[in-house]
Amino acid sequence: MIVAGKTIFAFMLVIAPFMVLADVCTSPSVKSSTYTTSEASSSTNTVFIVQFSLSCKNGAKDLTLYADINGKTVPVTRSAENEKYPYQVSFSDENKNLPSGSYDVKFYDEDGFSNLRKAQRSSEGTSSVKSIFSINVSHSGVWKGPLVPSELVATATAVLVWFLAYSARNSLQSS
């Protein structure tokens, strides 16, 4: 019984570390598609959506990933329905907080995310934490609509047409 217990303990010491280690992606190859909100007349938030496919040189699949943009970290979702871009992440913030420009979305595996959170908690710089890859999102800004609302132009035109018609009628009646 003691020998069996020692054998199981030795077996667990050797095998257990391999069972808890997460897959690590080496030499990632990424193909991506991005979307950003382009008009703000019907919304108060800007949305970034990044879809991508990921292939690793070592064949790692179904990785748990996290994305970081401007210090905001969110989990990446996977969809079996989208074969072209199975991974997706989205961010949203107020329009004023996401002006036009280029944004670097950094992606981390579980180890990288753990290191990123440690650096954030200890108020260290997060630039020393290496991401496994990044995707650049180009945001052209949001269109807030015309400077003069179309309702005002229509109302002013109607008043002008009425005034001209009224003036013409009065000048014809007085002659």
Side-chain angles (χ1 to χ4, degrees), residues 10-92:
F11 178 75
M12 291 305 287
L13 279 177
V14 173
I15 299 299
F18 294 106
M19 294 171 63
V20 297
L21 289 178
D23 283 338
V24 176
C25 182
T26 58
S27 301
S29 173
V30 179
K31 293 178 184 158
S32 66
S33 170
T34 61
Y35 166 81
T36 64
T37 304
S38 58
E39 63 99 8
S41 61
S42 62
S43 67
T44 57
N45 284 351
T46 297
V47 176
F48 290 179
I49 299 174
V50 180
Q51 299 181 81
F52 61 95
S53 64
L54 173 65
S55 59
C56 303
K57 188 175 183 180
N58 63 342
K61 293 185 187 263
D62 297 330
L63 298 171
T64 301
L65 298 174
Y66 299 89
D68 178 72
I69 182 169
N70 291 348
K72 183 178 179 183
T73 308
V74 295
V76 175
T77 61
R78 280 183 301 213
S79 171
E81 296 172 8
N82 188 345
E83 293 179 16
K84 186 174 182 181
Y85 300 116
Y87 291 94
Q88 181 180 22
V89 65
S90 61
F91 299 93
S92 68

